[in-house]
Amino acid sequence: MARAYEFNWQKPLPAFMQEGAYFDRFEEDPFVFEPQCFFKVDEFGFFLAWKREGKEGQVLECSLVNSIRSTIPKDPKTLSSLEAMGRLENDLEGRTFCICSGPDLVNLTFTFMVGQDVKVTKQWTEGLRSLIHNFRANNVCPMTCLRKHWTRLSFLTNMNGKIPVRSITRTFASGKTQKGIFQALKDLGLPSGKNDEIDHSVFTFDKFYALTQKICPRTDIEELFKKINGGKSDYLSVDQLVCFLNENQRDPRLNEILFPFYDSKRAMQIIETYEPDDKLKRKGLMSSDGFCRHLMSDENAPVYQDRLELYQDMELPLAHYFISSSHNTYLTGRQFGGKSSVEMYRQVLLSGCRCVELDCWDGKGEDQEPIITHGKAMCTDIFFKDVIQAIKETAFVTSEYPVILSFENHCSKPQQYKLARYCEDIFGDLLQREPLDGFPMDPGRALPSPRDLKRKILLKNRRLKPEAEQNELEDFRRHMDAGEMSLFPSAEENEGELLNDGVDEAHPELKELGESFCTSKPSGGTEKESSRVGEANLDVQDLINSYHYVAATTNVHPYLSSIVNYAQAVKFLGFEVAEENNIHHNMSSFNETAGLGLLKTSAIEFVNYNKRQMSRIYPKGGRVDSSNYMPQVFWNAGCQMVALNFQTPDLSMQLNQGKFEYNGSCGYLLKPDFMRRPDRTFDPFSETPVDGVIAATCSVQVISGQFLSDKKIGTYVEVDMYGLPTDTIRKEFRTKMVMNNGLNPVYNCEPFVFRKVILPDLAVLRIAVYDDNNKLIGQRILPLDGLQAGYRHISLRNEGNKPLSLPTVFCNIVLKTYVPDGFGAIVDALSDPKRFLSITEKRVDLMKAMGIEECDIVDMLSDSSKGDKKRKVSQAKASVSPRASSELGNNSTSGQPAGPSAVGDAVFLVHQVTVEDLKQMKVRRSPGGTPVRHVKYKFRRVESQSALSLVAQLVNDWRDGTVFEIHPNTFSQM
């Protein structure tokens, strides 16, 4: 029996947060102060709500909160404003915390709360921290989303503490007139006047759900319901439900033993859970309402929810994982004239990113503090030490797995020493200073795993040769012990002492600007840091034209060098040199154009390089607007750190965030097997199935949308696939435009068929909704690896991958094993042998009725298969050796004839096999060079799904020139 489904998305909610407490609330910019607000959290942990006496209720969605900080404001203006309100700075200490929230990583709101005493403040600080970063709650079902919206309406009360009718009408205004909404309220016995208000005790969730069904009935689900029962009754029987679940809601590629079929017992459990009518429950019947509730439940999520947990093996070398990575992390906007912010490091790390970039330069002024900025690009500065402190506070809040700091080091030696000391002093034990005992940094030794480096911070920087590093470090320590100023050799003297000199990791943004730069004024804002805009009176374009690119320094301080280990930056000298050196802890960075060039000329070598050591890709310099390149092409090559501009929520970032949502949002994703094993060869531009990987067919029918917008606008849906180049299909599948209905448009389009996805492990599906001005309303990225087949509601996200409360798209997703043209009959027979036999037996009976004896009927292949096979066999008959034919005859099952078609050809008699058996099959080449694959097995019915996968693989091999034949008696014994 199919197992009952459980999705525990709720986090434990402390009772005191449901009961509520009084806090003063204020914001800094602009200054807003609200004393004595009553705060509480709903029972599901959806919202932090507050209300002040005589004011309207307000809410903050917990999914938009990214951090809770124990801090007090430092802005003098804010402090003086608070003092004017009777709140002195000394009174705020220990009683104040800050809630940081926002729809993306840049547009943030900071809300301060001041508690009655230190104890209450501490309680609420810890309680709120336990609620946020609930990534599972971002994947709740449509029914839970409706409950969430009902909760929001219940909190958004008027001054009398009641729910205004006009708040409810706004929910449905995008598709219905106010008159229709008022009538629906009246039919349910609720106040229905424009200026009426509804009491909490009356406006229950059941009433709200009934209201949604009245105003926007699910006619699409009603049609499906009638299709299942044939339109003959108002109910589904247990048998009809079982048939629907097995034929539509179950992936046919699943193993029947590990994933059993639905049966009557499981169907009755579903009826018991979702059917609201007790009389129908007792009769074993399901109404259309119960069926709708089931389709809107967690049991019908579009992805396997266990993929949201940490489910992958985290004990393999670092190079075997994709790692969520950020480029120029400090920037909040454009690359030229942009603003740098310490806050970006917090936001990026809290979003799950595991590799951030620090462009380090010498500071100015008396303190000579190292700074982070985009050098010579008119960007503002931030202090290096402030960034390190922010990284320490947020590095392991959402993920315990290692963080890599990618240094672009432009500092002089004295300031490099400061960099190293800040890392040591602030990070403390979090910094991985030395190699682990079991993972020495020797040639041929693999990198440690993410689990080995849990809660550790690695520095990516150049490193001196061991002998030079030791000598310089000893010399430096002697100078320090003597109390003298350390004397450092020049860059030219030290250049040859690097492990691999001439590394060029700085970004030549301004070399590549040319005509693409817009001559807008640079941002002049700072974050308590000094601006590097020294030549403000010069024309911006003159500055760009006079810019000379400054590469990262090759003059490394020995102390900084000594704390670099598993991420040593080296100049890339070619794949052959890297393979010969076989140093796994060496890594190189490539801008996107260099990376694409390597893919063009040496794609397979690039994949093999990434099996052994790490690579980092970053945007080309011409992207001054902080746009992003397409990351998929580099993931296809196994590049681990595909660094993007996180401040730009474009398509590339949506693909990145959607992909890394899997595996517990930990920032690490295990690469497919063939991208890790040295004995496997993989071409990222392959157009034929990868050995051992079963290609798939994916079909998506967009049926309808729900609550897509709060405006009466036209909408349409695009469905794209991203993966290997041959799997990528974009801007090709689009529904019709449904005008003037943002509430419940019905598309009912023909299925969009992605007929051949040769590498499902790397493919992702993107479903995006646009309005009639081609503006994005919402989108969702669904990795094909965890996609569920069947009728599914797909909840949408905003551009920044934050969940939208109500918008969903209802689709029918069909997933199958890919079968080339002409082989459908064979696969159909294997997947449903009983049906195949019933058809053939019926034909025999009909021929008997015509006086034909059964002994005169010989088993033959169908004409289409026979014609295809003749073409293949004619090319290879001469290539099959007599020994091969005799082997096949000798190894046949006892008493089983080889059949007339076995002469001269490779014959496949198939026993019970699994996909693992398939992977182990040997391929040898005949003297003529044609690969001949021998399989001496016969299928049994219990393994029909494995049989299906095997035949699909054999058929794909046939396309590549493999010769085989399936014996007719294969089917008769199933």
Side-chain angles (χ1 to χ4, degrees):
M1 181 183 77
R3 295 187 296 271
Y5 188 83
E6 290 185 9
F7 179 45
N8 298 317
W9 56 268
Q10 282 186 260
K11 287 189 173 184
L13 181 66
F16 67 84
M17 299 184 77
Q18 294 184 61
E19 295 166 1
Y22 283 94
F23 289 85
D24 293 340
R25 172 189 172 275
F26 67 90
E27 295 178 10
E28 285 189 290
D29 188 19
F31 183 76
V32 176
F33 183 79
E34 292 183 302
Q36 288 296 294
C37 297
F38 185 72
F39 282 80
K40 66 180 297 186
V41 177
D42 65 279
E43 60 179 311
F44 303 103
F46 290 139
F47 300 103
L48 173 65
W50 67 93
K51 191 176 186 307
R52 187 182 170 195
E53 190 68 32
K55 299 290 184 180
E56 294 181 348
Q58 300 181 66
V59 296
L60 175 61
E61 194 169 330
C62 290
S63 66
L64 300 180
V65 176
N66 53 62
S67 63
I68 309 294
R69 307 172 191 175
S70 299
T71 183
I72 61 173
K74 297 178 181 178
D75 184 17
K77 290 183 180 178
T78 302
L79 291 173
S80 65
S81 299
L82 287 171
E83 189 173 340
M85 298 289 177
R87 305 296 189 274
L88 301 178
E89 184 176 353
N90 293 338
D91 297 335
L92 301 177
E93 196 70 44
R95 295 171 47 208
T96 308
F97 62 89
C98 176
I99 302 174
C100 178
S101 61
D104 52 44
L105 305 182
V106 177
N107 298 297
L108 303 174
T109 299
F110 298 91
T111 300
F112 291 86
M113 293 171 60
V114 182
Q116 302 295 315
D117 54 53
V118 174
K119 181 180 178 182
V120 171
T121 302
K122 185 179 179 181
Q123 262 190 336
W124 274 75
T125 302
E126 294 174 354
L128 287 172
R129 282 175 179 165
S130 71
L131 284 183
I132 62 175
H133 304 304
N134 184 1
F135 297 113
R136 279 177 291 186
N138 294 344
N139 292 272
V140 294
C141 64
M143 187 63 79
T144 305
C145 287
L146 281 177
R147 187 176 290 277
K148 180 178 180 178
H149 189 72
W150 166 77
T151 304
R152 177 195 289 272
L153 291 174
S154 300
F155 279 136
L156 294 176
T157 57
N158 59 17
M159 291 183 288
N160 300 324
K162 295 187 177 182
I163 305 165
V165 167
R166 67 179 60 195
S167 295
I168 298 172
T169 59
R170 278 196 292 266
T171 302
F172 307 100
S174 61
K176 300 294 177 183
T177 62
Q178 283 193 348
K179 185 177 179 181
I181 299 170
F182 294 155
Q183 184 60 48
L185 286 166
K186 186 176 180 180
D187 292 344
L188 291 170
L190 296 171
S192 55
K194 183 177 181 180
N195 298 315
D196 284 355
E197 54 191 27
I198 304 175
D199 194 81
H200 275 277
S201 59
V202 177
F203 192 63
T204 62
F205 175 69
D206 288 339
K207 287 279 189 182
F208 176 66
Y209 178 73
L211 181 66
T212 63
Q213 298 304 300
K214 266 187 169 295
I215 295 174
C216 42
R218 295 300 302 273
T219 54
D220 50 348
I221 293 180
E222 186 69 33
E223 287 179 15
L224 174 62
F225 184 81
K226 290 177 180 178
K227 181 180 176 182
I228 298 168
N229 67 13
K232 297 177 181 178
S233 71
D234 294 331
Y235 315 107
L236 286 182
S237 67
V238 169
D239 290 343
Q240 287 171 333
L241 182 58
V242 168
C243 183
F244 167 76
L245 294 171
N246 285 325
E247 291 186 4
N248 296 95
Q249 302 300 95
R250 186 182 182 280
D251 190 336
R253 302 171 301 172
L254 294 175
N255 181 282
E256 301 160 17
I257 297 174
L258 297 177
F259 300 91
F261 285 101
Y262 289 88
D263 57 15
S264 299
K265 185 177 179 181
R266 179 73 190 101
M268 276 303 301
Q269 290 177 351
I270 291 173
I271 292 173
E272 286 285 338
T273 304
Y274 299 105
E275 176 53 52
D277 191 322
D278 290 333
K279 292 181 180 178
L280 293 180
K281 283 183 186 179
R282 289 192 290 271
K283 293 179 182 178
L285 298 174
M286 177 176 264
S287 65
S288 176
D289 184 26
F291 183 63
C292 181
R293 289 171 184 262
H294 171 61
L295 289 180
M296 293 175 66
S297 72
D298 283 322
E299 291 206 40
N300 285 285
V303 298
Y304 292 104
Q305 302 288 36
D306 58 357
R307 298 300 173 93
L308 302 173
E309 309 295 333
L310 189 71
Y311 73 97
Q312 293 181 336
D313 183 358
M314 302 302 288
E315 296 185 345
L316 298 175
L318 278 179
H320 289 184
Y321 297 84
F322 297 117
I323 304 171
S324 181
S325 303
S326 162
H327 166 253
N328 283 1
T329 310
Y330 47 88
L331 290 177
T332 62
R334 56 189 297 114
Q335 302 289 308
F336 190 92
K339 179 182 177 182
S340 304
S341 170
V342 175
E343 185 60 39
M344 281 302 296
Y345 286 91
R346 293 192 181 96
Q347 297 303 316
V348 166
L349 288 169
L350 290 171
S351 73
C353 179
R354 297 290 87 188
C355 176
V356 295
E357 184 176 16
L358 296 83
D359 287 3
C360 308
W361 296 79
D362 283 358
K364 293 182 177 181
E366 296 179 2
D367 54 9
Q368 289 288 299
E369 283 294 336
I371 59 173
I372 290 177
T373 189
H374 202 188
K376 307 286 180 81
M378 298 179 68
C379 295
T380 59
D381 309 336
I382 51 178
F383 288 126
F384 176 86
K385 64 180 180 182
D386 292 345
V387 169
I388 296 302
Q389 183 64 41
I391 291 172
K392 178 188 178 181
E393 293 169 0
T394 54
F396 304 111
V397 173
T398 59
S399 171
E400 291 190 312
Y401 290 99
V403 169
I404 300 169
L405 307 188
S406 180
F407 278 15
E408 186 183 304
N409 184 1
H410 300 270
C411 291
S412 62
K413 271 196 167 182
Q415 298 226 353
Q416 287 184 52
Y417 177 63
K418 275 191 172 184
L419 302 183
R421 287 309 305 265
Y422 279 137
C423 288
E424 283 190 326
D425 296 344
I426 295 174
F427 289 149
D429 292 339
L430 296 178
L431 181 66
Q432 187 66 45
R433 296 192 74 261
E434 302 285 345
L436 298 172
D437 290 340
F439 296 92
M441 294 194 304
D442 299 327
R445 296 302 295 263
L447 292 168
S449 71
R451 181 158 292 171
D452 294 322
L453 294 167
K454 253 188 175 183
R455 298 187 66 80
K456 288 295 182 181
I457 295 173
L458 304 178
L459 303 185
K460 182 182 85 68
N461 196 71
R462 305 163 202 175
R463 187 166 184 177
L464 300 170
K465 292 178 181 178
E467 304 82 8
E469 179 186 289
Q470 184 176 354
N471 292 338
E472 287 194 34
L473 199 56
E474 289 175 356
D475 185 55
F476 170 72
R477 284 172 176 157
R478 280 197 301 271
H479 281 288
M480 295 296 286
D481 291 341
E484 301 174 9
M485 181 65 70
S486 178
L487 301 175
F488 302 108
S490 67
E492 288 77 10
E493 293 171 351
N494 189 53
E495 210 169 81
E497 303 303 321
L498 287 166
L499 276 172
N500 207 321
D501 65 338
V503 186
D504 181 1
E505 286 218 56
H507 312 301
E509 283 80 1
L510 302 176
K511 282 176 71 178
E512 304 176 24
L513 288 177
E515 298 298 321
S516 64
F517 177 70
C518 174
T519 59
S520 59
K521 297 271 185 176
S523 167
T526 62
E527 191 176 310
K528 307 182 196 74
E529 302 89 358
S530 61
S531 171
R532 293 180 60 84
V533 188
E535 298 113 13
N537 295 326
L538 292 177
D539 183 81
V540 173
Q541 193 63 50
D542 291 340
L543 283 174
I544 297 172
N545 294 336
S546 64
Y547 175 80
H548 296 290
Y549 167 62
V550 181
T553 181
T554 58
N555 193 12
V556 182
H557 193 288
Y559 199 86
L560 177 61
S561 173
S562 69
I563 58 176
V564 176
N565 36 70
Y566 295 121
Q568 294 183 15
V570 299
K571 182 179 181 181
F572 180 70
L573 299 176
F575 293 120
E576 289 184 6
V577 173
E579 185 174 6
E580 184 179 343
N581 291 338
N582 197 21
I583 301 175
H584 293 222
H585 53 265
N586 281 357
M587 65 172 294
S588 298
S589 293
F590 312 90
N591 70 32
E592 60 178 288
T593 52
L596 291 172
L598 291 173
L599 281 174
K600 179 181 177 181
T601 58
S602 310
I604 295 175
E605 291 81 359
F606 207 173
V607 173
N608 291 334
Y609 173 92
N610 288 321
K611 293 176 182 179
R612 179 181 60 251
Q613 54 202 96
M614 294 188 289
S615 63
R616 179 176 175 272
I617 311 294
Y618 60 90
K620 64 183 179 182
R623 296 184 181 275
V624 292
D625 59 349
S626 294
S627 60
N628 284 304
Y629 56 90
M630 183 55 64
Q632 187 69 51
V633 67
F634 296 108
W635 289 329
N636 293 342
C639 298
Q640 295 85 357
M641 303 177 196
V642 182
L644 299 176
N645 291 308
F646 271 54
Q647 72 270 35
T648 307
D650 54 11
L651 170 62
S652 301
M653 265 306 296
Q654 291 161 19
L655 290 171
N656 188 82
Q657 296 299 79
K659 183 183 182 75
F660 281 101
E661 192 173 350
Y662 274 25
N663 201 33
S665 297
C666 74
Y668 285 81
L669 288 174
L670 186 63
K671 296 194 286 188
D673 172 82
F674 51 83
M675 300 179 86
R676 295 183 272 121
R677 286 172 46 181
D679 60 334
R680 300 287 297 274
T681 300
F682 172 63
D683 180 358
F685 296 100
S686 174
E687 295 184 4
T688 57
V690 179
D691 188 25
V693 178
I694 307 301
T697 295
C698 176
S699 167
V700 180
Q701 181 189 19
V702 179
I703 300 172
S704 63
Q706 294 77 43
F707 301 100
L708 298 181
S709 173
D710 57 0
K711 300 173 184 176
K712 285 187 178 180
I713 54 173
T715 61
Y716 66 91
V717 182
E718 281 188 358
V719 182
D720 299 328
M721 178 83 73
Y722 294 87
L724 293 188
T726 190
D727 293 343
T728 299
I729 299 177
R730 56 192 300 266
K731 301 296 180 184
E732 194 171 312
F733 295 138
R734 168 177 166 174
T735 67
K736 65 182 180 182
M737 177 88 71
V738 176
M739 296 303 299
N740 300 320
N741 186 357
L743 181 63
N744 59 342
V746 175
Y747 305 104
N748 260 344
C749 66
E750 290 296 314
F752 301 139
V753 180
F754 302 91
R755 186 173 170 276
K756 179 185 175 186
V757 184
I758 68 172
L759 198 53
D761 286 355
L762 286 179
V764 299
L765 197 67
R766 181 178 188 256
I767 296 176
V769 181
Y770 295 87
D771 66 15
D772 43 20
N773 289 317
N774 299 318
K775 182 180 178 182
L776 182 69
I777 294 175
Q779 56 81 33
R780 186 71 183 276
I781 304 296
L782 300 168
L784 212 64
D785 179 40
L787 192 64
Q788 293 214 72
Y791 290 88
R792 311 285 174 179
H793 288 88
I794 298 170
S795 298
L796 300 180
R797 307 284 173 84
N798 68 8
E799 287 182 328
N801 207 46
K802 298 282 188 178
L804 297 173
S805 183
L806 283 177
T808 59
V809 175
F810 185 50
C811 299
N812 180 23
I813 299 170
V814 178
L815 299 169
K816 294 180 180 179
T817 299
Y818 167 70
V819 179
D821 292 335
F823 297 95
I826 296 175
V827 174
D828 288 344
L830 286 169
S831 59
D832 194 353
K834 283 187 175 180
R835 182 173 179 271
F836 176 83
L837 288 176
S838 65
I839 293 172
T840 56
E841 288 168 355
K842 185 177 181 180
R843 290 172 179 168
V844 169
D845 291 338
L846 290 172
M847 285 188 282
K848 282 181 180 179
M850 297 174 67
I852 300 171
E853 297 294 331
E854 186 173 0
C855 60
D856 294 332
I857 305 171
V858 180
D859 291 332
M860 298 292 289
L861 293 171
S862 66
D863 287 342
S864 61
S865 298
K866 191 173 182 181
D868 290 339
K869 200 165 291 296
K870 276 184 179 178
R871 287 192 292 273
K872 290 289 182 179
V873 171
S874 64
Q875 297 170 9
K877 272 190 176 181
S879 303
V880 182
S881 65
R883 182 174 177 273
S885 297
S886 63
E887 283 177 357
L888 289 167
N890 293 337
N891 288 315
S892 297
T893 305
S894 178
Q896 169 119 356
S901 59
V903 181
D905 300 334
V907 181
F908 283 74
L909 302 179
V910 188
H911 275 304
Q912 175 181 348
V913 301
T914 64
V915 176
E916 288 302 315
D917 294 327
L918 172 64
K919 293 177 182 177
Q920 299 302 321
M921 287 192 293
K922 302 261 175 134
V923 176
R924 73 173 178 80
R925 294 189 176 270
S926 64
T930 304
V932 181
R933 196 187 291 271
H934 296 283
V935 189
K936 300 176 280 294
Y937 301 106
K938 185 189 320 181
F939 293 116
R940 287 166 48 184
R941 186 187 181 286
V942 72
E943 288 290 309
S944 64
Q945 294 304 326
S946 297
L948 178 61
S949 299
L950 175 59
V951 169
Q953 180 66 45
L954 296 178
V955 168
N956 287 324
D957 284 343
W958 192 341
R959 293 176 65 258
D960 299 329
T962 304
V963 183
F964 69 91
E965 182 176 311
I966 297 180
H967 196 279
N969 288 346
T970 298
F971 300 111
S972 63
Q973 300 296 321
M974 294 179 73

